[in-house]
Amino acid sequence: MPPADCALPSRRTLLKGVAGWAMVQGLGWVAPGQAKPARPFAADTAWGLLPPTATLPGGLRMPAPLPGAAPRLPVGEPGRLSLDQGWLFHLGDIPFPEPADHNATYLSVKAGNASGAAALDFDASDWQSVTLPHDWASAQPFDRTANVSQGYRARGIGWYRRLVRLDPALEGQKLELRFDGIASHATVWVNGSEVAHSWSGYTGVTIDLTPFARYGDDLNWIAVRADATVREGWWYEGAGIYRHAWLVVRPPLHIAADGVHGHPVQAADGTWQVPITVTLGNLADAPAGARVRAMVRDAQGRLLCQGTASAQVAGLDQAEASMVLTPRGAPALWSPDDPVLHDLVVELEREGPATGQVIDRRTVAIGFRQIRFDPARGMVLNGVATKIKGVCLHQDHAGVGVAVPDSVVLWRLQRLKQLGCNAIRMTHGACSAEVMDWCDRLGFLVMAENRLFNPAPDYLAQLEWLVRRDRNHPCVFAWSVFNEEPMQGTHAGKEMVRRLRAAVRRLDPARPVTAAMSGGFFNPENVGQAVDLMGFNYYQGDYDRYHALHPDQPMLSSEDTSAYGTRGAFTSAPDAHVITSLDKEAAGWGATHRQSWQAIASRPFVAGGFVWTGLDYHGEPTPYAWPSVGSFFGIMDLCGFPKTAFGIRQAQWLDTAPMVWIDPHWTWPGREGQPIEIFAVTNAPALELRLNGKTVARVDKADRIMGHTFHIPYQPGRIEALALDGGRVVARMAHETTGRAVALRLTPARTALARDGADAMAITIDAIDAGGRHVPVAQHGIGLSIRGGAIIGLGNGDPNSHESEKGTQRSLFNGLAQAIVQGDAGLVPLVLEAHTPGLTPARLTLPREARAAPPAVAAEAPRQRVERWLRSPRLPARPDATLAPAAGDNNSWDTVGTPAMESGPAGWRSYRTTITPWRAVAAHGGQLRFAGLAGAAEIWLDGTLLARKTDPAPAALAVTVPPGNKPRELVVLIQAETGRPAGLTGSVDLAP
């Protein structure tokens, strides 16, 4: 079971934790005692939400910081240990050496004999130390010769190595090495044996480590070659081990990885059942009887149902145990507005004398919800027709590329929840497991999407992996088998989809299969004939025609909009690659945010849609190329700062919380008296604009989809949009004319960081005037310094910026920039300072919350194993340190490994070996570490005495070794006493 501090508070508890702030009819968040909310923010039953966006002086909209550190996801898998720490990294390929002769060739193809950077004794002592997740591409400079779609950043090939010590107590257990994602193709070696290949950066790699494992001082080397020259997409994909790595320890008789399937289904009579299948594994040679108990508990821990099943598991094989549970009463239902989760707890016992003792356990979050797609009404969720208000989402973020910390993953999803978004399409491949877990808990419907359209075995396995991993998530409502494939309108494409659909159905018969089609809808043969749910990418003008031809097939917009916008820009400047954010421009295949949603909202038979995209992303800089390096499509920019589209979508999607949005800002020096184009939108019945307290426009019937445009002569002061309902102001937003910037400001996403060394957060950087108002036109270059943590990424949302996303320097872009900070392990506060010439600097101090780090495999410093010892015959007197066998004498001295220990008569032995130190030791010196040395001893290096051990008792010994890059002659003289052990009782290592 997970440690107590891994358990998440309930969503109700988390809401209670933010009760110091309250939403007042769209007016923002106010302190306790100032006002009482008329009704809560839409979907605020989904715990963990950021407060609704507040309008700060100057018109900047940002959420108030949430209290405390980011919550941690529960661990439902006992024995899972983090492997994120302790990795060494080398950028660039290291070619494998050609074998020198026949013997070397013979050995090179034997198990455990990998050469080059995969070899056990490879020198990686001067490689860079990194912590996972790690995306090396995010640190590369922008290069005009690099691939445009990947964001003009070189990717290439990189190597990783890690040393792992396994406790001898683990011997006999099932050990799994798991990588959640490596971009893009990867090969993994363990102890010199090639153990795995991965053909996609979006799928995980699980390796049975057990047959290759070594224990105690016999250490394990893991080597990974990540080939990111391979492109799977036409967007920024990053490079390296960019998701978490784990060591998972299971008992010999165990529940297999992703071995629990328990998705609730509703019968025609309205009753619920939970069909459960548990896959079991047996590491032993003999068959084993297994007894499985399954229980479903509600959020309060009350037992809804339970049952048992038995199975016989053959040696070194798998078997399944199945049962069907029927909950008592009507379980609370999961929905985006109220994402109620239940715990499916599966316990494994061995049948026989030990029956009753739980030897393995899984806890899986499940949800009771019924989703069907009606050809006329769209999606029906728990009996209610519900529009999908979705976004497409890539996985990268400003500053960190695809190696997004878990807490920033949560923050991004919280921003989408504020938007009124209720669904996410994971484009175009499997997202991280943490994203899926948060979608369950925050209340997002998810279209899970396959990356590579190919039913050949290697690629079909990727789709099957995705379904196995995610089929228990209540958030998943459909499986998408491809995105925009040229073969979509052909017989071959249809046949490929038939096979992919069948593979999905074998693993998950409950959910529909779809495909994101971008043409071929009306061809005589097309993939639409092989899917359960038709997915339209664009082609919104064909909705009616397709529905008329296929009135019995449900449909949705799997991708729409593709509107352009530069955050903070309100006129277009094509030569500068700047596009107004006022929702005026879109790709030729797409539409504006307003046009696109109007087409969906007016057609009940269209189940809903997914906007391209929720946030900007690196790469695919459509409609421009160099110097543009990022996309212009997002409702928010790459940092998560909102564009005008944020207000448009809130008006379209929020039904219960009144809101209003007005753009642009109101700081236009030199344009006095000239008309400024104003866009305002609200979900309230009426809208009013006021300039310096005077009404300048009023709309008695506000259009919440299309909004309203006005042209108001510029007068410095305050322009304000009021949302009206029955003549009463229910929401307001204002912009004020600001003075020159006089100071910097730092605003955190949360008020504290956890002490575990993994918690990270986004810090907003902006400039303010003398009145404390956000200056939207500030473009200052900012310098940063930090104590108690690290700046792991920088951004400002400018798709044309070539500033480094690492380091301590970043410019404001249209008033804003962002730093992603991560705290050191410990309770020392994190202090971030921002400065620029001429402005008052800002300082932010973030306290630390005492929270233990999750269980992890300790990082091991790299060390060179000293082996291949020659041991002299027993000698009656102390030999000279220069004593050695004659050239060509292969018989007089023994060849021994470690340990090499004996008990016998008194005497001396000389142990000698030749070692070429690793580069770090050769350059700077190091330590020679004897795990155990028995007997009195002398340590000699190149004829120089380094140390003496006078106590004959066995003990560890560390000896300082001076620099030197030539082969070194190491001699250990050991004196044995009669009947006492003497020799090398453990491993010998040379470490930097």
Side-chain angles (χ1 to χ4, degrees), residues 417-430:
K417 200 69 182 182
Q418 282 182 295
L419 179 64
C421 171
N422 69 4
I424 300 173
R425 175 177 171 230
M426 302 302 176
T427 48
H428 301 289

Side-chain angles (χ1 to χ4, degrees), residues 228-248:
T229 62
V230 178
R231 286 187 297 275
E232 294 183 79
W234 48 97
W235 57 88
Y236 176 86
E237 297 184 277
I241 310 177
Y242 73 98
R243 292 178 183 166
H244 296 299
W246 310 94
L247 175 68
V248 184

Side-chain angles (χ1 to χ4, degrees), residues 671-988:
R671 295 191 59 180
E672 287 77 8
Q674 298 179 26
I676 302 293
E677 182 178 350
I678 298 293
F679 175 79
V681 65
T682 181
N683 60 0
L687 173 69
E688 183 177 310
L689 261 58
R690 294 179 185 173
L691 176 58
N692 294 329
K694 179 181 177 182
T695 299
V696 292
R698 184 181 175 95
V699 179
D700 292 327
K701 189 175 181 181
D703 188 335
R704 66 182 294 187
I705 293 180
M706 301 302 291
H708 301 276
T709 298
F710 311 89
H711 293 84
I712 308 297
Y714 176 58
Q715 298 176 20
R718 176 185 176 91
I719 191 162
E720 187 174 24
L722 307 177
L724 306 174
D725 188 352
R728 182 172 62 94
V729 177
V730 293
R732 66 178 72 216
M733 180 178 176
H735 295 289
E736 295 180 2
T737 305
T738 66
R740 67 178 183 86
V742 299
L744 296 177
R745 176 170 57 187
L746 297 170
T747 305
R750 295 182 181 270
T751 60
L753 280 167
R755 64 170 293 179
D756 57 12
D759 195 7
M761 75 166 67
I763 309 293
T764 299
I765 309 165
D766 75 323
I768 56 176
D769 70 1
R773 296 171 298 192
H774 166 68
V775 180
V777 295
Q779 313 286 349
H780 301 72
I782 308 298
L784 298 166
S785 62
I786 193 168
R787 300 192 305 275
I791 299 169
I792 61 173
L794 297 165
N796 62 14
D798 180 2
N800 301 315
S801 175
H802 291 187
E803 292 181 294
S804 174
E805 294 190 77
K806 306 295 182 181
T808 58
Q809 302 288 326
R810 192 68 179 187
S811 297
L812 299 178
F813 174 63
N814 293 337
L816 295 171
Q818 184 179 82
I820 308 294
V821 301
Q822 191 167 47
D824 293 338
L827 288 173
V828 175
L830 182 146
V831 180
L832 180 68
E833 296 179 323
H835 55 86
T836 192
L839 302 188
T840 301
R843 174 183 290 184
L844 173 68
T845 300
L846 288 170
R848 312 299 297 281
E849 285 191 351
R851 185 174 76 189
V857 178
E860 294 283 339
R863 64 197 77 173
Q864 182 178 9
R865 183 57 50 88
V866 181
E867 297 180 312
R868 301 183 180 90
W869 293 89
L870 292 176
R871 183 175 65 182
S872 73
R874 187 182 305 278
L875 303 169
R878 175 193 174 280
D880 191 273
T882 60
L883 180 68
D889 181 357
N890 296 319
N891 300 302
S892 298
W893 291 46
D894 296 331
T895 301
V896 296
T898 54
M901 184 178 64
E902 60 183 352
S903 295
W908 288 79
R909 284 192 188 267
S910 175
Y911 292 76
R912 65 180 303 122
T913 188
T914 301
I915 182 169
T916 301
W918 283 352
R919 289 182 294 271
V921 174
H924 307 292
Q927 275 201 333
L928 186 65
R929 298 172 182 171
F930 295 86
L933 192 57
E938 298 175 8
I939 315 300
W940 293 76
L941 185 68
D942 296 334
T944 300
L945 179 64
L946 295 184
R948 278 193 175 94
K949 176 178 178 286
T950 58
D951 187 346
L957 180 67
V959 180
T960 299
V961 173
N965 59 7
K966 62 182 179 65
R968 317 293 294 271
E969 297 296 327
L970 176 62
V971 175
V972 182
L973 303 180
I974 300 178
Q975 182 181 19
E977 296 180 357
T978 302
R980 299 191 65 172
L984 306 175
T985 63
S987 60
V988 183

Side-chain angles (χ1 to χ4, degrees), residues 349-372:
E349 303 171 1
R350 179 186 291 274
E351 287 191 333
T355 298
Q357 178 183 354
V358 175
I359 59 174
D360 201 2
R361 177 184 288 110
R362 294 285 186 282
T363 301
V364 177
I366 62 173
F368 292 83
R369 91 289 184 279
Q370 199 267 348
I371 294 177
R372 64 182 180 89

